Amino acid sequence: GVTSVTPGAFTEITPDSIYLSSTVSSFDVLAVNKFGGIEVSPSNRQYKSVNEVLFDKSGSILIAYPNQKINTSYAIPEGVRIIDELAFYEATNLNSLSISSTVEYIDNYAFKGCVNIHRLDMPANVTEIRSGVFYGWLDSQDIYIANAKTKVVEDWNEGCNANVTVAS
C-alpha cells in the first residue's frame, strides 16, 4: 500500500537493492543515500527498471542510476530523452558514461559527484543543461558539448572544475 518514497526515508541504511511495488507512484532519489540497484513491480504504472536502473514507465526519463552499482561503465539507452534531477548522484564507481543521441534535456545536478568519469561527451541533440549538472567535478575531468547552441542556464557549471570544451 505504500504510494510515496520521500527524501530521507532510508538515509541510515545502504541497501543492496530497492524494490518498488505496484502501488508506488512517487519516488525521490534522495530517499536513500546509497543503494546498489532498484527493481520495480511489472504492474507499477509509473516506473520500470532496466538492469537495476530506474526509468519512467515509457523509458523516456532516466530517473535514478544506483550510486553503489558496481559497474564502471554505463550506456544510457536509446529512447531516453531526459536525464532527471540527481539521476547519477555520486555514482563514483562509474569511470565511463555514454549518453545516447536521443537525450535532449539534462536536469539539475544530474551528474553531481561523479568524480571518476574521465570524459563525458554531450551529443548534439542535447538542447538544455540545467543548474549544477557537473557539481563536484574535478580539473582532471573533461566535458565536451557537441552543440554550441545548447541552452545552458547561468549556473549550469556551479561547483565544476572540469575542463569544458564547446564545439564551435
Side-chain angles (χ1 to χ4, degrees):
V2 173
T3 59
S4 181
V5 184
T6 59
F10 302 104
T11 56
E12 300 300 318
I13 62 172
T14 304
D16 290 332
S17 186
I18 298 169
Y19 181 79
L20 300 183
S21 69
S22 62
T23 59
V24 175
S25 60
S26 176
F27 174 81
D28 191 294
V29 72
L30 295 178
V32 59
N33 285 341
K34 300 191 178 293
F35 62 104
I38 192 160
E39 294 293 331
V40 179
S41 167
S43 57
N44 185 296
R45 294 182 178 187
Q46 297 295 118
Y47 303 111
K48 71 177 183 177
S49 64
V50 178
N51 298 321
E52 298 183 306
V53 178
L54 184 64
F55 297 87
D56 73 320
K57 194 67 168 183
S58 72
S60 65
I61 303 172
L62 191 154
I63 298 168
Y65 180 90
N67 56 13
Q68 293 298 296
K69 197 166 175 64
I70 61 171
N71 301 55
T72 58
S73 65
Y74 182 70
I76 295 173
E78 290 293 318
V80 172
R81 291 182 25 259
I82 297 169
I83 299 173
D84 213 2
E85 185 171 13
L86 295 165
F88 286 86
Y89 176 71
E90 294 186 0
T92 55
N93 290 332
L94 283 178
N95 61 35
S96 174
L97 179 63
S98 174
I99 300 177
S100 75
S101 62
T102 58
V103 171
E104 301 169 358
Y105 178 88
I106 301 174
D107 209 347
N108 302 322
Y109 302 96
F111 303 115
K112 181 180 180 181
C114 293
V115 295
N116 291 315
I117 295 174
H118 304 294
R119 177 184 166 106
L120 187 64
D121 292 324
M122 292 284 153
N125 282 7
V126 174
T127 58
E128 188 169 351
I129 298 174
R130 301 298 300 166
S131 299
V133 168
F134 303 105
Y135 193 95
W137 282 48
L138 310 170
D139 59 7
S140 59
Q141 295 175 277
D142 295 307
I143 300 163
Y144 177 74
I145 300 174
N147 183 351
K149 294 181 181 180
T150 296
K151 177 183 174 188
V152 291
V153 297
E154 185 175 324
D155 57 350
W156 73 276
N157 62 347
E158 170 192 3
C160 175
N161 292 312
N163 304 302
V164 180
T165 304
V166 180
S168 48

